[in-house]
Amino acid sequence: AQQLGMPLSDQEYREFFRSLRAARRASTACLLRALYGCQNPLIRRLDEYENHGVIPEGPICSELPGTPFFPNFCSFSFYRCTRKRYFIKV
């Protein structure tokens, strides 16, 4: 069992992104994020699911070379969306 607020394991990420695997589905989630922000109930549910029920407050460390830190999970998620790198893990 994972701790609340911890990122999903690799296997859990595969399962989580299975429904979003098609780039158009992931880009739709990003469009909702851009239109309504991270406080939108649907976006919050996705973010909570991605992090075992709790959205990390920050700072966020990522696996991205050259961009290792983000001030919060919302910033990290927007980065993934703007760069169309939908499946990058924290």
Side-chain angles (χ1 to χ4, degrees):
Q2 294 284 333
Q3 288 184 310
L4 291 176
M6 295 300 294
L8 301 176
S9 68
D10 289 343
Q11 180 179 351
E12 289 169 323
Y13 257 87
R14 282 191 294 278
E15 183 67 29
F16 172 70
F17 283 119
R18 183 180 305 183
S19 65
L20 299 174
R21 188 53 74 185
R24 71 174 156 35
R25 287 185 181 167
S27 67
T28 299
C30 285
L31 178 62
L32 287 174
R33 186 180 296 280
L35 289 173
Y36 301 109
C38 293
Q39 298 307 313
N40 176 274
L42 175 61
I43 297 301
R44 287 192 60 80
R45 277 196 306 264
L46 284 172
D47 291 349
E48 288 171 351
Y49 182 80
E50 185 175 354
N51 293 285
H52 290 101
V54 176
I55 302 169
E57 292 185 22
I60 303 297
C61 298
S62 76
E63 296 178 345
L64 295 167
T67 314
F69 297 104
F70 294 89
N72 53 44
F73 191 79
C74 184
S75 298
F76 170 70
S77 296
F78 271 116
Y79 177 87
R80 288 192 301 195
C81 287
T82 58
R83 301 293 178 148
K84 296 183 181 180
R85 300 184 72 187
Y86 306 119
F87 310 112
I88 297 170
K89 281 181 65 172
V90 179

